[in-house]
Amino acid sequence: MSASVAQATHETGEDYARARDAADELAPLRERFWLPRGRGADPPLYLCGHSLGLQPKSARQAVADELEQWRTLAVDGHFAGDRPWISSHERLRAPLAALVGAAPDEVVAMNTLTVNLHLMLVSFYRPDRTRYRIVIEKHAFPSDRYAVASQLRFHGHDPADALVELEDEPGSARLSPATLGDYLNRHGETVALVLLPGLQYVSGEWQDVAELTRVAHRHGCRIGFDLAHGAGNLPLALNDWDCDFALWCGYKYLNGGPGTVAGCFVNRRHFGSCPRLEGWWGNDPGTRFRMAHDFQPAPGADAWQLSNPPILALAPLEASLAIFAEVGIQRLRAKSIALTGYLAFLLERLRPEVTLLTPGEPERRGCQLSLRVAGGAERGRGVFEALLAADAIGDWRAPDVIRAAPVPLYNRFLDVYRFVERLRAILKRVR
């Protein structure tokens, strides 16, 4: 394990955790989120924001306001009132653009993640006789793999030949620029598209997006990134990194609620030159309601929209994004580095019972740490179930990984301390 994990600035006692919380200028943010009910009087230790973010307290009023507009204005709510529905998705442009490092016209809130992935593949996977392969990582999130394989079959290609799955070494759950470059040096002329995660969902490792993009472009390949675990977790710079497209969900670190609206980035150099599927909400809003037969695309990424957005689902996401805009991702990242570093520091003291899969260097990870328990998958699952029973909530990824993520918006140093103490006690009794 890297020496950077065991940071000398951290201490092991509960008093230290309480002192860090007392000095934390972002600590009041916790009061702006609802904590779930636990098995006892106290809320659980919720270190699962990488799977589903907690509900902002402002979300209820945001949804109630839309319901009230519907009740009082009915169809006129599209154009009347303080927040006309015709422009609802536009209010998310600026905060999303700030979070992912893009121009406002390069981002759009729409659909859900895998739907958006299919839409992006329609535009950016354009196979010809020689370039037809898609490169993904060996341990890609299953939905990404399903989408890619189905697109290959749709275009008449056999995934057994056209789907290339790479990893640095067997079981590593990592694809470095060097490994990608080595493959493309040998076979790049057959590759049309590279699709990779920004942050690998099992290991929690942050990828070198900028260098991966440079490698792909050097070989004439387009490249896109699944940022489901990156958006709202790390400062992103999609425009500077120059990837062709990216997509993310809204329910993990963005706290928009289960199954809420997702987002897309389309690099502006593709505006006007990229084929896409079309629907009426992608039509220029100035002519949308003329109901003309000819499609006139909206400016920028908005042209990739198909249908009018789900207003009630946008409301909680907008409420959460307002908090991000107020606080700023850089301040949240600074706290995240401290929180996750503290978690890694405490977990280091449980070796050899616990080993980390996530890199030790803060710049190579976000909030999430992934760990394995000594003794194999059966014991690991037993430890995980005991953690849940003890109101310490992370999640499990088969065959043997426990994931935990202290989120700077609502988690405390005390949460981290208590999580590890409960884990320590469980390790002694679960054999």
Side-chain angles (χ1 to χ4, degrees), residues 192-257:
L193 177 69
V194 178
L195 176 69
L196 299 174
L199 190 144
Q200 214 286 332
Y201 82 104
V202 176
S203 70
E205 179 172 3
W206 177 244
Q207 310 295 317
D208 189 344
V209 173
E211 184 58 25
L212 288 164
T213 298
R214 283 190 288 270
V215 169
H217 286 170
R218 191 180 306 136
H219 292 273
C221 309
R222 288 176 170 178
I223 186 167
F225 289 90
D226 179 343
L227 297 173
H229 289 265
N233 180 3
L234 293 141
L236 306 177
L238 295 180
N239 203 271
D240 291 342
W241 296 335
D242 199 34
C243 56
D244 296 287
F245 69 92
L247 52 154
W248 56 89
C249 59
Y251 55 82
K252 299 180 187 293
Y253 296 102
L254 294 182
N255 315 304

Side-chain angles (χ1 to χ4, degrees), residues 104-362:
D105 66 344
E106 293 178 306
V107 301
V108 59
M110 63 181 191
N111 308 313
T112 49
L113 191 148
T114 304
V115 172
N116 288 339
L117 176 54
H118 276 293
L119 293 176
M120 293 298 103
L121 290 172
V122 165
S123 293
F124 292 99
Y125 176 57
R126 308 299 297 170
D128 58 28
R129 187 177 60 82
T130 57
R131 284 188 181 269
Y132 63 94
R133 289 194 169 108
I134 299 179
V135 172
I136 65 173
E137 53 138 351
K138 178 76 169 178
H139 302 276
F141 190 76
S143 193
D144 288 2
R145 192 188 189 284
Y146 303 155
V148 167
S150 67
Q151 288 274 343
L152 288 168
R153 288 191 294 267
F154 181 82
H155 285 277
H157 296 292
D158 182 355
D161 169 50
L163 178 56
V164 180
E165 299 174 279
L166 299 180
E167 60 182 338
D168 281 4
E169 56 188 35
S172 67
R174 185 169 193 269
L175 176 56
S176 66
T179 298
L180 176 63
D182 179 66
Y183 180 83
L184 294 181
N185 282 334
R186 293 178 286 115
H187 305 290
E189 71 282 356
T190 71
V191 175
L193 177 69
V194 178
L195 176 69
L196 299 174
L199 190 144
Q200 214 286 332
Y201 82 104
V202 176
S203 70
E205 179 172 3
W206 177 244
Q207 310 295 317
D208 189 344
V209 173
E211 184 58 25
L212 288 164
T213 298
R214 283 190 288 270
V215 169
H217 286 170
R218 191 180 306 136
H219 292 273
C221 309
R222 288 176 170 178
I223 186 167
F225 289 90
D226 179 343
L227 297 173
H229 289 265
N233 180 3
L234 293 141
L236 306 177
L238 295 180
N239 203 271
D240 291 342
W241 296 335
D242 199 34
C243 56
D244 296 287
F245 69 92
L247 52 154
W248 56 89
C249 59
Y251 55 82
K252 299 180 187 293
Y253 296 102
L254 294 182
N255 315 304
T260 195
V261 180
C264 276
F265 161 85
V266 179
N267 193 307
R268 60 173 37 177
R269 57 191 164 78
H270 295 295
F271 294 170
S273 63
C274 204
R276 62 185 169 262
L277 296 184
E278 295 171 349
W280 87 307
W281 217 254
N283 198 83
D284 190 316
T287 61
R288 183 181 293 148
F289 285 90
R290 294 178 187 172
M291 305 302 181
H293 289 176
D294 294 331
F295 183 81
Q296 298 181 16
D302 276 7
W304 272 262
Q305 295 178 107
L306 300 180
S307 300
N308 43 323
I311 301 302
L312 299 181
L314 279 178
L317 180 58
E318 185 178 358
S320 179
L321 289 175
I323 299 173
F324 279 97
E326 174 188 339
V327 179
I329 190 64
Q330 295 294 344
R331 294 173 70 201
L332 291 169
R333 174 61 174 158
K335 179 177 176 180
S336 175
I337 290 172
L339 270 176
T340 304
Y342 180 48
L343 176 58
F345 170 84
L346 294 177
L347 290 173
E348 171 76 1
R349 276 133 188 84
L350 300 183
R351 288 174 63 91
E353 289 277 69
V354 169
T355 56
L356 290 183
L357 303 181
T358 312
E361 301 89 345

Side-chain angles (χ1 to χ4, degrees), residues 34-62:
W34 292 109
L35 299 172
R37 287 184 301 223
R39 289 172 165 79
D42 296 326
L45 306 175
Y46 191 82
L47 270 66
C48 207
H50 59 280
S51 187
L52 180 66
L54 294 184
Q55 182 187 129
K57 291 181 178 179
S58 53
R60 180 185 292 269
Q61 188 60 52

